[in-house]
Amino acid sequence: MTRYIQGSDRSQVTLLPECLDDFIAEDNTVRVIDAFISELDMATLGFEGTSPALTGRPSYHPSVLLKIYLYGYLNRVQSSRRLERECQRNVEVMWLTGRLAPDFKTIADFRKDNGKGIRNVCRRFVMLCR
């Protein structure tokens, strides 16, 4: 097998870890999604959970879940279970969310509870794309 291109050893430790940003090209669509959502006022658009609760387990910020949802919309991944898998294995989604991987129930509940806000964001995104 010496005449084939070899991959690196999976158990090899590197001195300088690779930056996740190095894997995402400058013209990748996830950069557009990130810039677009970072400019939105989530509370004005009608999203729940924009101010964190004082007690209980910390929740995901709605912008993180919206980034996952919008990525799925653009890449034809509708299922919350498939979006959960993409968060765990897709480098683009890891970059987009900062390596957060919410479970499928959290993604599904976000979609169910924030229909009005998601519609408003999709309307703005389509206008931006035009």
Side-chain angles (χ1 to χ4, degrees), residues 23-123:
F23 292 109
I24 306 299
E26 291 296 322
D27 61 345
N28 197 313
T29 57
V30 294
R31 293 189 186 271
V32 175
I33 294 169
D34 186 54
F36 173 71
I37 292 178
S38 65
E39 296 296 322
L40 296 177
D41 183 14
M42 302 297 281
T44 305
L45 291 171
F47 285 94
E48 296 178 7
T50 54
S51 59
L54 298 175
T55 59
R57 182 182 184 276
S59 62
Y60 293 103
H61 193 274
S63 65
V64 172
L65 296 168
L66 183 60
K67 289 175 185 179
I68 295 169
Y69 181 78
L70 198 55
Y71 178 85
Y73 176 76
L74 291 174
N75 292 285
R76 296 184 182 128
V77 181
Q78 292 93 12
S79 166
S80 57
R81 290 179 191 263
R82 289 184 61 207
L83 284 171
E84 176 189 17
R85 267 184 273 148
E86 291 296 315
C87 290
Q88 295 168 357
R89 67 178 179 188
N90 190 326
V91 176
E92 291 178 342
V93 182
M94 286 181 196
W95 180 89
L96 192 59
T97 63
R99 291 193 175 151
L100 294 175
D103 65 339
F104 72 93
K105 182 77 167 123
T106 304
I107 297 169
D109 286 344
F110 172 77
R111 187 181 310 181
K112 179 184 68 160
D113 297 338
N114 294 293
K116 177 184 171 191
I118 290 172
R119 281 191 298 276
N120 290 335
V121 169
C122 288
R123 192 173 299 123

